[in-house]
Amino acid sequence: GNANGPFDPYAVRLLRTAHTNYLSNALSNPLPRGFVSLDASHPWMIYWCLHSLDLLGVFDFDDADGTNNGSNTNKTTNNARGL
């Protein structure tokens, strides 16, 4: 065994890099033509991809003093006109 217990070849393992790459790819590429019926669900799909990336620790919104006042979130959601 090791510090985490005996090795289990059937244990579920989270491949963070592979998951992050998959989710980033899903966000940066349009849906294939066969998924046209999911167009109405696209905002939810974006939400779930972003939420998953957040759970994986990809986003770091903490300010230098260790607080999170949400100001960074606005920078990523506002467009050029501030909307």
Side-chain angles (χ1 to χ4, degrees), residues 43-61:
W44 279 111
M45 293 166 62
I46 292 171
Y47 168 80
W48 286 115
C49 286
L50 291 172
H51 181 63
S52 298
L53 288 168
D54 186 37
L55 291 174
L56 288 167
V58 172
F59 304 119
D60 181 13
F61 292 125

Side-chain angles (χ1 to χ4, degrees), residues 3-83:
N4 297 326
F7 176 76
D8 182 1
Y10 300 104
V12 175
R13 288 171 181 74
L14 179 62
L15 304 173
R16 287 183 184 275
T17 302
H19 280 77
T20 300
N21 291 340
Y22 177 83
L23 294 164
S24 297
N25 186 43
L27 286 171
S28 60
N29 294 314
L31 291 173
R33 296 178 91 187
F35 290 90
V36 108
S37 63
L38 294 177
D39 277 351
S41 299
H42 199 240
W44 279 111
M45 293 166 62
I46 292 171
Y47 168 80
W48 286 115
C49 286
L50 291 172
H51 181 63
S52 298
L53 288 168
D54 186 37
L55 291 174
L56 288 167
V58 172
F59 304 119
D60 181 13
F61 292 125
D62 288 341
D63 294 335
D65 62 359
T67 61
N68 184 351
N69 62 14
S71 61
N72 291 330
T73 304
N74 291 334
K75 292 177 188 172
T76 60
T77 57
N78 289 348
N79 65 17
R81 298 183 312 186
L83 302 174

